[in-house]
Amino acid sequence: MSTVLAASAHLDFSLTQKLIVIVLAALTALVSHMALAVFNDGTRPFMLEFIQGRATRAATAAVAFGLSAGFIFGLGAPMALSSGVLNPWLLFLPTDILGILAIRKWLAVVLGGAWGALVVFGLNGANDVAHKLPVDFLTAMQQMSTPILFLFTLFPVLAVAKQFGKARGAITGVVELALVIMTMKLWPNIFAGSLAMAAGVLMLIGFAVRKDLLQRRADRATEAEAAAAAGPAADGSGGGGTALAQTGSGGTDVPEEVLEDPMASLFSASAARLRKHLPLFMLLGAGVCLIARMHIFGGGEATSFLIAKGHISEAAQVDFYRVFGFIPLIATTALASGTYGIAGLTLVYPIGYLMPNPVLAAVAGAVVMALEILGLSSIGKVLGKLPSVRDSSEHLRSAITDTLQLAILFGSLLAANVMGGGLGILIVGGLYLVNEAMGRPVVRMAAAPAAVIVGGILLNVLYWLDLFTPVKG
């Protein structure tokens, strides 16, 4: 399949698609205003203070803005402009901020809808203007697609190496490399990293489950040995310890669930709070799944370019693998704070991509989100019993970040070279290094794409001053 991005990266949406995006943006701002859901995982832990009245709207919105601004302008906007596909950083991070900041529900809806309108009506105009410039930095940014797609394939290798050591990491790497080569040779029309990522994620999960099972078996053996050594003392008078555990100093009964887990009451209250608004979450799931079905939205960096190239099934596969890295984070922060994720556990992304029609996509999204909300407490309990699997998700998230940071930086330098040769690399690389030296006021993942845009604007200014001649071709 051709590597040229679909639709020449133009953000041309039908009126129906524009209206759905606007309505969804209004809805996400509303649920953010109600502190029911936010997209930024970093913002979610702060929502408990807001829900309990210990933090003001303005203070919470300031936190959300500080955590999100770099991703909105440094990653969300550049990715949308270069791929022609919308993404959650551009759509949902701003509605987090606007919804929290709004003092009334109707105002949150208006502000969210206005942002959605700005995105669907304004981006295409900005896109057209940029393509007419002497230095077309948006077309140059399409150079990021190949590094992102292929380096992202390696995130399971990094996760295995970090959690289970270099030897297993090397084995996983060899397996992935062999599968990439085989896919390129035998099935050239599909994304070469598809099978490799599948194998890598399955190997990581297999290693983690095996470790948990072996640990559980060892724990049972230890308990059996301890019981055998205790002998008769384990019964009779030894039961007094249990009685003390069940009563307080004044003989008052203590609830068993509090003894087992002091966080149980908080988790239970948070889950109940989310279940109370189940219809609203079902509507949210339907909306997110619907825009994924329209193939104008991608849930991740690699996914955006895959959708732009028409690799829909591969995009679904990539976002499905990402789910494993974010389930524990989203579930535990939701139970602790009482605030869920805008896209839930993100299963609505891959499901939406593959739905045959919009109606089924909306129904599937609503059902999936309902099941997630109803099963949130159970998910938390299961994760508590599988520590290695839970750790694997943390290593997956870390590996995804590491691979994407390298891929985006490398792709940004390729874009800089296309824009302005050595001078382009000097400007873009220099801006990235300045950001590092200043303590990263722009988050590292967003710094390189932001540098490409700033560098592209600067090269155009130099052209108008007759100080720079654009690179031919």
Side-chain angles (χ1 to χ4, degrees):
M1 185 173 289
S2 171
T3 59
V4 178
L5 297 186
S8 301
H10 282 289
L11 292 147
D12 289 324
F13 306 133
S14 69
L15 180 59
T16 300
Q17 291 172 336
K18 290 176 181 178
L19 291 175
I20 290 173
V21 171
I22 291 170
V23 171
L24 180 60
L27 178 60
T28 56
L30 175 61
V31 295
S32 174
H33 169 85
M34 298 171 67
L36 291 175
V38 292
F39 180 77
N40 195 320
D41 295 321
T43 302
R44 198 172 302 117
F46 293 93
M47 297 304 290
L48 182 62
E49 297 288 310
F50 173 65
I51 292 170
Q52 296 180 346
R54 294 194 297 269
T56 64
R57 282 196 175 277
T60 309
V63 170
F65 180 82
L67 293 171
S68 303
F71 286 103
I72 296 169
F73 301 109
L75 186 63
M79 288 294 295
L81 289 168
S82 59
S83 68
V85 176
L86 300 177
N87 58 70
W89 305 285
L90 182 63
L91 277 184
F92 302 148
L93 289 181
T95 57
D96 281 359
I97 302 165
L98 295 171
I100 296 171
L101 189 61
I103 58 175
R104 295 287 186 272
K105 289 182 180 179
W106 66 265
L107 183 58
V109 171
V110 169
L111 292 175
W115 176 258
L118 179 63
V119 168
V120 294
F121 288 105
L123 276 183
N124 199 43
N127 189 57
D128 290 340
V129 170
H131 284 309
K132 294 175 182 177
L133 293 173
V135 180
D136 184 356
F137 54 87
L138 292 186
T139 298
M141 287 184 72
Q142 294 178 11
Q143 296 291 321
M144 292 194 299
S145 64
T146 300
I148 287 175
L149 290 175
F150 281 89
L151 288 176
F152 185 75
T153 302
L154 295 175
F155 77 87
V157 178
L158 268 66
V160 170
K162 289 180 178 181
Q163 186 173 6
F164 298 106
K166 299 175 183 177
R168 290 182 179 178
I171 293 171
T172 307
V174 170
V175 170
E176 284 209 10
L177 178 61
L179 287 172
V180 168
I181 295 172
M182 183 180 74
T183 303
M184 291 177 122
K185 184 69 175 177
L186 300 178
W187 305 289
N189 290 329
I190 68 173
F191 172 51
S194 299
L195 288 177
M197 276 189 286
V201 171
L202 288 174
M203 291 175 74
L204 175 66
I205 295 173
F207 291 144
V209 170
R210 180 176 181 274
K211 182 178 179 180
D212 281 336
L213 292 177
L214 291 176
Q215 184 61 48
R216 190 173 298 178
R217 187 181 304 170
D219 290 343
R220 283 199 297 264
T222 302
E223 291 172 1
E225 292 175 1
D235 300 318
S237 60
T242 304
L244 289 174
Q246 299 299 323
T247 59
S249 58
T252 305
D253 289 341
V254 178
E256 182 179 352
E257 62 271 16
V258 173
L259 289 168
E260 291 177 353
D261 184 359
M263 295 294 289
S265 59
L266 174 61
F267 282 15
S268 178
S270 296
R273 178 177 186 268
L274 296 175
R275 286 196 299 270
K276 187 169 68 174
H277 297 278
L278 186 62
L280 198 55
F281 280 108
M282 293 176 69
L283 188 59
L284 183 62
V288 176
C289 202
L290 183 56
I291 63 167
R293 164 60 184 81
M294 295 187 297
H295 302 155
I296 62 170
F297 174 91
E301 301 88 347
T303 314
S304 294
F305 286 113
L306 284 170
I307 290 175
K309 293 179 178 183
H311 294 291
I312 306 302
S313 61
E314 288 90 340
Q317 184 179 341
V318 168
D319 271 354
F320 178 72
Y321 299 147
R322 288 175 68 107
V323 170
F324 293 104
F326 288 89
I327 284 180
L329 174 65
I330 295 171
T332 53
T333 55
L335 288 169
S337 68
T339 303
Y340 202 43
I342 289 293
L345 301 177
T346 69
L347 278 168
V348 288
Y349 295 160
I351 290 172
Y353 303 147
L354 299 176
M355 284 293 105
N357 62 65
V359 174
L360 283 179
V363 172
V367 171
V368 169
M369 189 68 84
L371 292 175
E372 289 179 12
I373 295 295
L374 294 174
L376 196 56
S377 295
S378 299
I379 293 172
K381 291 176 183 178
V382 170
L383 291 173
K385 296 177 182 179
L386 297 171
S388 294
V389 174
R390 191 173 62 247
D391 291 345
S392 291
S393 72
E394 295 178 5
H395 289 294
L396 272 176
R397 288 199 309 276
S398 174
I400 287 172
T401 299
D402 290 345
T403 52
L404 286 175
Q405 282 178 350
L406 176 61
I408 290 173
L409 175 59
F410 185 61
S412 297
L413 291 175
L414 288 178
N417 184 58
V418 169
M419 290 192 307
L423 180 60
I425 292 175
L426 173 65
I427 293 173
V428 172
L431 289 171
Y432 180 87
L433 292 174
V434 167
N435 184 68
E436 289 286 308
M438 294 175 64
R440 300 191 198 114
V442 179
V443 290
R444 181 177 282 170
M445 192 177 293
V452 173
I453 291 180
V454 174
I457 294 172
L458 181 56
L459 288 173
N460 277 292
V461 172
L462 292 175
Y463 169 81
W464 291 322
L465 295 175
D466 200 24
L467 297 174
F468 169 72
T469 302
V471 176
K472 294 182 179 180

